[in-house]
Amino acid sequence: MKVAFILLLVGFVYAEPDEDMLDFEMVGYSTNIDDPQYRLLNNVVPTYMYVDLDVYLSESRFNGLVRVNVEVRETLRQIVMHQNVVSITAVSVVNANNQPVNLQFPNSFEIDSYYQVLKINFASNIEPGQYTITISYLGQINENPYDRGFYKGYYFVGNETREYATTQFQPYHARKAFPCFDEPQFKCPFVISITRDTSLSPSFSNMAINSTEVVSPGRTRETFLPTPIVSAYLVAFHVSDFVATENASTSEKPFRIISRQGPTDQHGYATRMGVRITEELDRYFNISYYDMGQGTPMKNDHIALPDFPSGAMENWGMVNYREAYLLFDERHTNALDQIFISTIIAHELAHKWFGNLVTCFWWSNLWLNESFASFLEYFAAHWANQSLELDDRFILNRVQSALSADASETIQPMNWTSVASNPSIDSHFGTSSYAKGASVLRTMEHFVGYETFRNALRYYLNTNAYGVGYPEDMYNAFRRACAEDPTFQTSYPNVDVGDVFNSWVQNPGAPVLDVNVDMNTGRINITQERFQLSGTIPDTIWHIPITWTHSGSPNFTNLRPSFVLSNKTTTIYKPAGHHWVIFNLQHSGYYRVNYDDHNWQMIASQLRRNRDAIHKLNRAQITNDVMFFLRANKTSISRAFDVLSFLRNESDYYVWNGVLSQFDWLRRRLEHLPRAHEEFDAYLLEMLEGAIQQLGYEEEASDSISVIQSRMQIMNYACQLGHQGCINDSLEKWRQFRNNASYLVPKNARRYVYCTGLRHGNDEDYQFLFQQYMNSENTADMVVMLRALACTRSNVSLTHYLTESMRNSRIRVHDKTNAFNYALLGNTENLPIVLNFLYNNFEEMRRTYGGQLRLNVCINALATHLTDFNYIVQFQAWLYNQQVSLGAAFNSGRSVIDSAMNNIRWANNVAPEIFTTIRAYRESLNASATISTSIGVLLVALVAHMFI
């Protein structure tokens, strides 16, 4: 292959583009560049690509040679490709007969750095046909992982620092490693060759190594087998001295975990889960992963990277992960991280079918890749290990998180046609494409049924294999599957499943059902509208599959919708009688439900009497919904807290998880009103007490994963609020940890035990945990310690912590902004120290945290914590004084000020009623309690704090 490359150098046109020369007006030029020029037309398509890189890792550079076969589909005078390399030194083109094609002179090629394209200009028109373009260029290995492309990271072997280079190309960073057609619609096989220092391990790429040769003393070249037809963003390679384990491999189905030297004993769990999940997805889709290579054997590598800007990346054959998201240590990896490892493996493996085998045509349709991976990350992992309860957990991590984002009036739809520029591409990698899309899929699965849903996915994959998919392709696959399902035709006559699906894809936001029940007649009036926390509500209509039940004959198990609401309003009936109704059984549909006040009152009464009469996932839905209705002023404060009153005896993880974050949201907005804040904390402690007593402080061998998670979240919050029992137990565990070298704090208790130990300790406690962090070999446990270190109340230690976040190489680049946010979360009194750190170090933060966008992330994190008007004024003065130096972060700072002021205004408006409501509730539970401060005095104090 090297000989072939050398022969193709004949006919290269060597020209150094003059960047100062004015661009020629391309009047009359036929080209494959689109408008805007971020995009390429499909009148030129790649059919095969060879990428040859000569990598000098220690020098952070490489020499590149690309040969791309293209099909030209119409007469052209110019071919355009994407590029963002250091410099292009030569370009040549030959036709199908290997004859040179004359390029324009001068300006045989041009570089447009803004649009990141290479324009190859021909001396005359070229006709449709096959051509080969060869490009010689120089590239750099980015030393900031957030720059993506081909980037460098580092790791430690003992006290020795070593380096590696790896890739992250999605969505438009392949062009940083080689000129290419860097859009998902352009798919072709790739052959990758890597030349490296012989002292390093064999390189890794999408496919297995085909040949190895020593090209010069100390230099070795590996050429890999050709990939299947694939988009450029899914190409990957890695240069290092990493090592691989093959504990579950067979010759037909190889499976490897790859990592730095040292933690190879942490490969086992990912191996077991990865093999099982691959098998489950093979069965589900009836398409074997190992048969996807189009005649070339597929491999199944999963590589753990100390520095990785994303969580993971689904490169075909070689998935990249942040190390904490792949390596599992039985002694140190807690239940939440175990779950995350399982789901992220499932997410990336699901992409082999959705994203790799069939790829979204353009990033506006990113949901065709990410929604399915986000859906299957829970259910494929659940099939592999049902003890993790991931089917139920989906409600919390996907449905409720998506509904929260969709409450914004500015949220994007799943199919966002405005995606054009690189910044708009980046912004679409968010909740709408991931969590919302997954939630809509779950709605569709319950609507059409498990088998019909699966059949639709099989039709879509088989019809579009090795190509691209459009939303209409998905809708047609569902139409075909539903047409073959007689139960669907009977249940939903004249319903077009494609129209139902499309309404969720095209409409931004999510609906809320307003349900009003006439108990005397049984008449139920239902109205749908878009749910928003603020702003003008548009007149949006969804096709909503409806499930419901009533207390006269409760049934929470039948999740097949009884009808589809396709109009603004409708009326249904239940038997006449005084029975509550509940809609959206087990939160199986993607919508909220708000009831008339009387039905809410009946639900609240039922929950207090016997909460188990209502399914736990509906209890989770109810608590989350009612807090959002309170925020949106769609229910009264008194009714909301009445509905939530059953929590005093609730310990279920799913019920508490969805409401705890909303309680914390409200609690932080009361921080500037000390008495209201104190009363709310007392209320929360009383509400948590029942769960604390039921769960206890010690983990039992028989505890389910949800019980373990419930204890983790309840104790973490209770210790933070000052629950004395939680504090005492945590301090006892902390003292044992400090005084007994053989004692390990139970891994699922470490977050709150470590935090409590530091919050109630001194500088010595901080230094002790900091040394534990520095010596750890498990990155997930290091993140737990990094969060806990910020709980110190010592100004000296917190300042040390923040300084280390910039300068300590043991704190990975992706954890630096986390450390800044942890410092804000650690204690309320941390805020002035964090602000002063920002004021004095923002330029160094920008440099060491990973660039301008990471500084923006830190500044945006302040919005929730700026609850004191004096600090807001101080922050504003600094912001405007440093406006030029802050760059784009200045606008982030202005948004922070607006958000902080809005939070204060909102709290000032509701605090008096919240205070009176929870005070009355606490009095009813504690008859001996007396009100020490009159409501009138409190209201005067609240008004004094208002500054609107």
Side-chain angles (χ1 to χ4, degrees):
M1 189 171 295
K2 183 176 180 182
V3 173
F5 272 118
I6 292 173
L7 290 175
L8 279 166
L9 291 175
V10 177
F12 261 88
V13 178
Y14 286 87
E16 194 68 12
D18 187 347
E19 294 185 356
D20 296 326
M21 185 180 293
L22 295 174
D23 288 339
F24 283 97
E25 292 194 17
M26 304 300 289
V27 177
Y29 268 53
S30 295
T31 179
N32 64 313
I33 198 166
D34 205 348
D35 183 21
Q37 295 183 42
Y38 294 100
R39 299 284 306 275
L40 302 179
L41 300 171
N42 66 352
N43 52 5
V44 179
V45 297
T47 59
Y48 218 96
M49 281 200 70
Y50 301 85
V51 179
D52 191 2
L53 302 185
D54 191 10
V55 178
Y56 296 87
L57 180 59
S58 62
E59 301 173 34
S60 299
R61 68 177 182 89
F62 60 94
N63 303 324
L65 189 66
V66 163
R67 188 182 73 197
V68 52
N69 298 341
V70 298
E71 176 189 349
V72 176
R73 295 175 171 175
E74 60 185 50
T75 302
L76 297 176
R77 187 77 177 273
Q78 182 187 74
I79 291 179
V80 181
M81 297 171 62
H82 293 108
Q83 70 77 39
N84 193 15
V85 297
V86 172
S87 65
I88 291 177
T89 57
V91 176
S92 74
V93 182
V94 299
N95 61 22
N97 296 320
N98 206 30
Q99 297 171 328
V101 179
N102 291 331
L103 302 183
Q104 177 179 286
F105 182 83
N107 282 5
S108 58
F109 64 91
E110 303 168 76
I111 302 298
D112 186 327
S113 297
Y114 181 82
Y115 288 110
Q116 301 176 356
V117 293
L118 161 69
K119 299 178 180 179
I120 305 171
N121 301 321
F122 296 98
S124 59
N125 287 341
I126 63 170
E127 298 301 316
Q130 306 295 322
Y131 296 85
T132 299
I133 303 168
T134 306
I135 304 168
S136 178
Y137 63 100
L138 303 177
Q140 68 176 9
I141 303 173
N142 296 323
E143 295 187 345
N144 174 11
Y146 282 109
D147 288 338
R148 293 177 165 82
F150 191 25
Y151 76 88
K152 179 185 284 191
Y154 63 91
Y155 54 101
F156 301 97
V157 178
N159 293 323
E160 179 188 355
T161 302
R162 298 189 185 178
E163 295 178 323
Y164 65 91
T166 197
T167 57
Q168 171 57 29
F169 289 159
Q170 191 184 52
Y172 50 79
H173 300 288
R175 65 192 71 172
K176 292 178 179 177
F178 49 88
C180 59
F181 293 77
D182 202 6
E183 296 180 32
Q185 67 165 317
F186 298 112
K187 303 179 70 171
C188 70
F190 283 75
V191 172
I192 306 296
S193 294
I194 302 289
T195 302
R196 55 166 176 86
D197 289 343
T198 304
S199 61
L200 297 172
S201 300
S203 298
F204 301 98
S205 187
N206 304 83
M207 308 300 286
I209 293 172
N210 188 33
S211 64
T212 301
E213 58 181 319
V214 177
V215 295
S216 64
R219 303 289 292 168
T220 300
R221 183 172 185 258
E222 279 120 8
T223 299
F224 297 86
L225 292 168
T227 70
I229 294 173
V230 68
S231 305
Y233 78 89
L234 291 165
V235 173
F237 35 86
H238 176 97
V239 179
S240 71
D241 66 354
F242 279 25
V243 295
T245 59
E246 302 182 62
N247 298 327
S249 284
T250 65
S251 58
E252 298 81 16
K253 296 183 177 182
F255 191 99
R256 297 191 298 182
I257 304 295
I258 303 162
S259 76
R260 60 186 169 89
Q261 299 177 40
T264 54
D265 60 342
Q266 299 178 33
H267 291 190
Y269 180 76
T271 298
R272 293 190 297 274
M273 285 299 294
V275 169
R276 291 177 195 162
I277 291 167
T278 303
E279 292 171 348
E280 293 293 344
L281 290 171
D282 282 352
R283 281 193 287 268
Y284 184 73
F285 294 124
N286 199 29
I287 300 171
S288 171
Y289 168 76
Y290 290 98
D291 292 339
M292 290 184 184
Q294 296 183 294
T296 304
M298 288 299 302
K299 66 187 182 72
N300 201 349
D301 285 354
H302 301 258
I303 187 164
L305 301 167
D307 297 294
F308 194 56
S310 305
M313 179 61 207
E314 65 268 19
N315 315 303
W316 218 342
M318 190 191 86
V319 180
N320 286 353
Y321 297 79
R322 191 177 296 182
E323 189 176 287
Y325 301 161
L326 186 65
L327 302 187
F328 177 90
D329 187 328
E330 186 65 46
R331 299 166 303 160
H332 299 299
T333 306
N334 65 34
L336 295 179
D337 289 319
Q338 178 185 6
I339 286 170
F340 196 73
I341 290 169
S342 304
T343 55
I344 202 167
I345 291 172
H347 182 107
E348 304 312 321
L349 283 171
H351 268 309
K352 308 309 179 188
W353 289 263
F354 283 92
N356 299 16
L357 182 63
V358 183
T359 311
C360 64
F361 171 78
W362 176 238
W363 301 117
S364 58
N365 295 322
L366 177 62
W367 70 272
L368 286 169
N369 292 8
E370 296 298 347
S371 296
F372 290 91
S374 299
F375 173 80
L376 288 161
E377 74 178 76
Y378 285 88
F379 296 102
H382 175 69
W383 302 331
N385 184 355
Q386 295 189 15
S387 69
L388 296 179
E389 302 179 21
L390 293 171
D391 53 342
D392 288 341
R393 189 181 173 88
F394 181 89
I395 295 298
L396 309 177
N397 290 45
R398 288 297 179 233
V399 179
Q400 290 189 351
S401 65
L403 286 172
S404 177
D406 266 350
S408 167
E409 63 178 321
T410 60
I411 195 69
Q412 306 155 0
M414 287 168 59
N415 185 46
W416 190 36
T417 56
S418 297
V419 172
S421 65
N422 291 353
S424 65
I425 292 171
D426 290 333
S427 65
H428 202 40
F429 278 78
T431 306
S432 294
S433 300
Y434 289 74
K436 177 181 180 176
S439 302
V440 168
L441 292 179
R442 184 172 179 270
T443 298
M444 295 300 298
E445 183 187 41
H446 286 300
F447 175 40
V448 304
Y450 173 86
E451 289 189 7
T452 300
F453 180 84
R454 183 198 60 194
N455 290 342
L457 303 193
R458 290 179 176 181
Y459 288 143
Y460 172 81
L461 293 172
N462 281 289
T463 301
N464 301 286
Y466 304 102
V468 296
Y470 297 82
E472 195 63 29
D473 295 324
M474 182 63 68
Y475 306 155
N476 287 336
F478 270 79
R479 290 184 177 111
R480 178 181 173 185
C482 288
E484 297 171 354
D485 180 2
T487 62
F488 182 88
Q489 305 300 318
T490 303
S491 300
Y492 313 110
N494 303 317
V495 171
D496 185 329
V497 68
D499 289 345
V500 175
F501 206 151
N502 190 53
S503 73
W504 298 97
V505 171
Q506 301 296 345
N507 288 336
V512 57
L513 297 187
D514 290 311
V515 177
N516 287 273
V517 186
D518 186 326
M519 297 295 174
N520 294 322
T521 64
R523 179 187 177 97
I524 305 172
N525 293 324
I526 308 169
T527 303
Q528 65 161 298
E529 67 175 3
R530 179 171 166 179
F531 178 78
Q532 292 179 187
L533 288 172
S534 61
T536 303
I537 298 176
D539 189 18
T540 307
I541 298 295
W542 286 264
H543 297 284
I544 309 175
I546 302 294
T547 57
W548 68 289
T549 192
H550 60 85
S551 59
S553 180
N555 181 351
F556 286 91
T557 60
N558 182 9
L559 304 185
R560 190 75 184 265
S562 55
F563 67 97
V564 178
L565 175 61
S566 298
N567 300 311
K568 183 73 173 178
T569 63
T570 194
T571 299
I572 61 174
Y573 289 87
K574 71 173 184 66
H578 207 68
H579 304 295
W580 48 254
V581 300
I582 286 180
F583 280 65
N584 199 4
L585 304 183
Q586 294 191 38
H587 219 330
S588 54
Y590 186 65
Y591 56 93
R592 298 188 185 275
V593 188
N594 196 9
Y595 304 98
D596 64 80
D597 190 65
H598 184 62
N599 197 74
W600 272 127
Q601 184 181 19
M602 295 179 66
I603 290 173
S605 177
Q606 175 66 75
L607 289 169
R608 283 191 296 270
R609 293 194 317 273
N610 177 17
R611 65 185 183 278
D612 291 328
I614 297 175
H615 195 280
K616 65 180 181 182
L617 296 183
N618 279 105
R619 304 202 301 274
Q621 174 199 3
I622 286 166
T623 55
N624 187 260
D625 276 357
V626 80
M627 285 297 290
F628 273 89
F629 297 152
L630 184 155
R631 292 173 57 181
N633 199 30
K634 288 182 69 71
T635 192
S636 67
I637 290 172
S638 59
R639 180 59 64 213
F641 281 96
D642 177 48
V643 173
L644 296 171
S645 61
F646 81 97
L647 290 171
R648 193 168 188 265
N649 297 307
E650 178 69 81
S651 64
D652 187 87
Y653 168 71
Y654 303 99
V655 182
W656 267 109
N657 183 271
V659 75
L660 264 182
S661 60
Q662 295 306 304
F663 275 149
D664 195 60
W665 182 93
L666 181 54
R667 177 176 178 262
R668 290 190 178 278
R669 277 143 188 81
L670 296 174
E671 282 182 352
H672 69 293
L673 305 171
R675 295 193 178 183
H677 189 257
E678 180 182 346
E679 187 71 25
F680 194 66
D681 278 2
Y683 161 79
L684 289 177
L685 282 169
E686 289 185 0
M687 296 294 282
L688 290 168
E689 186 60 40
I692 293 170
Q693 295 302 319
Q694 292 175 49
L695 295 166
Y697 299 115
E698 303 300 332
E699 184 175 318
E700 303 293 336
S702 59
D703 284 347
S704 67
I705 194 75
S706 58
V707 168
I708 292 170
Q709 291 175 92
S710 188
R711 184 180 297 106
M712 291 173 74
Q713 70 179 4
I714 292 292
M715 297 306 173
N716 183 66
Y717 208 61
C719 281
Q720 181 183 345
L721 289 172
H723 185 277
Q724 199 58 53
C726 182
I727 292 171
N728 291 343
D729 179 76
S730 296
L731 289 178
E732 176 59 29
K733 289 183 171 69
W734 174 254
R735 293 186 190 104
Q736 289 187 66
F737 183 46
R738 282 220 53 185
N739 298 328
N740 184 349
S742 64
Y743 175 80
L744 291 176
V745 174
K747 61 185 182 183
N748 294 316
R750 288 180 192 176
R751 179 176 167 186
Y752 59 87
V753 168
Y754 290 170
C755 184
T756 303
L758 266 67
R759 185 175 286 141
H760 295 270
N762 53 32
D763 289 325
E764 291 182 359
D765 291 285
Y766 170 85
Q767 286 297 332
F768 172 79
L769 189 61
F770 185 76
Q771 287 305 313
Q772 295 289 321
Y773 176 89
M774 293 294 289
N775 296 331
S776 177
E777 280 289 330
N778 181 258
T779 50
D781 198 37
M782 290 174 73
V783 173
V784 172
M785 288 186 275
L786 188 67
R787 178 190 290 267
L789 284 165
C791 295
T792 180
R793 284 198 166 107
S794 164
N795 291 356
V796 172
S797 291
L798 186 62
T799 301
H800 174 268
Y801 173 83
L802 289 166
T803 303
E804 291 292 296
S805 75
M806 296 188 300
R807 301 170 185 171
N808 189 325
S809 58
R810 295 276 180 176
I811 299 177
R812 315 309 304 197
V813 65
H814 50 251
D815 284 329
K816 293 180 182 294
T817 48
N818 290 337
F820 183 88
N821 194 43
Y822 295 157
L824 290 168
L825 292 168
N827 302 292
T828 304
E829 58 267 33
N830 288 5
L831 180 64
I833 300 171
V834 177
L835 287 174
N836 285 329
F837 172 77
L838 173 67
Y839 300 158
N840 295 324
N841 298 281
F842 72 91
E843 290 178 315
E844 185 177 355
M845 289 170 60
R846 177 164 48 205
R847 185 175 68 255
T848 60
Y849 277 24
Q852 183 68 53
L853 291 177
R854 309 315 297 169
L855 177 62
N856 296 357
V857 168
C858 292
I859 289 177
N860 286 330
L862 294 169
T864 301
H865 302 275
L866 284 175
T867 59
D868 185 290
F869 186 65
N870 292 324
Y871 287 127
I872 295 175
V873 172
Q874 177 196 91
F875 176 76
Q876 184 178 44
W878 169 78
L879 186 73
Y880 280 87
N881 186 51
Q882 298 292 340
Q883 179 174 352
V884 175
S885 299
L886 284 167
F890 173 75
N891 289 330
S892 296
R894 290 181 59 188
S895 298
V896 165
I897 293 169
D898 292 341
S899 295
M901 291 300 295
N902 288 336
N903 291 341
I904 289 173
R905 292 189 185 102
W906 185 89
N908 287 342
N909 288 332
V910 303
E913 187 177 353
I914 288 176
F915 180 89
T916 56
T917 299
I918 61 178
R919 174 57 66 91
Y921 171 73
R922 293 184 62 218
E923 278 192 309
S924 69
L925 295 176
N926 304 283
S928 60
T930 59
I931 300 177
S932 59
T933 304
S934 71
I935 300 302
V937 172
L938 176 70
L939 292 177
V940 172
L942 294 178
V943 172
H945 279 83
M946 294 182 184
F947 29 82
I948 299 176

